[in-house]
Amino acid sequence: MSFREKSAWITLITLSVLTAAVVTHLPRPFTLAPAPSLFILHVLALAILFFIGIEIVAHVVIAIWSPRDARVPKDERERLIELKATAVASYVYAGLSLSSILTIHLGANEIGLGYLVFLSFVIGEIVNYALRIYYYRRGV
Amino acid sequence: MVSTNVQNRIRRLRFDHGEMTQQTLAERVGVTRQTINAIELGKYSPSLEVAFKIAGVFGVPIEDVFSYGEAPAAAD
């Protein structure tokens, strides 16, 4: 398994677990009052810090594990995989973030809407990394 | 598995060149070992540039390495 495939696995798992933890522990966006809205911002900030920390540590570990792989620059296949995965993920992000606007009619306030747009971006990234792994394993 | 219509004889050519490893070929071509493996297995069609470089490493014309639709005729 190449360094970048391992990297994609790390990002996919970290994002999925953190997103599941955040979504299950936060109130639904359209039931938010101002006070819980601030709570959401704090939880999201904490999740982002956790994500950055886990990514740094995990990437350092896999780079130490196979330093030669980590130093090899991206080749054309890896660039193509990233391009194709990002292209699909961008449609997912655009579709979900535009759909988030509809939650205004369900009573979401601006922080709730921001939360949903942020969640759309995260889901788009999960799709992005899941597709990269698919292309790495099944061919592109 | 996603497979292409581009056939290749890289495995055979590596064998004929002293059982050259995928890693050695990858380093000489300038791609990752996983990319050489994907090309060998028909999971990825390389660019013309990489295809020419692979043929150059083995010192054979490109058509002796790659063909479209059917396996290339043996060079030897």
Side-chain angles (χ1 to χ4, degrees), chain A residues 75-77 137-140, chain B residues 1-2 32 35 43-44 47:
Chain A
D75 66 13
E76 58 175 37
R77 175 174 152 269
R137 303 205 75 79
R138 306 286 291 181
V140 61
Chain B
M1 183 180 80
V2 177
T32 61
T35 294
K43 289 160 72 175
Y44 173 65
S47 66

Side-chain angles (χ1 to χ4, degrees), chain A residues 85-106:
Chain A
T86 305
V88 176
S90 65
Y91 284 109
V92 173
Y93 169 57
L96 286 176
S97 56
L98 288 175
S99 305
S100 303
I101 295 169
L102 298 176
T103 57
I104 288 177
H105 300 292
L106 298 171

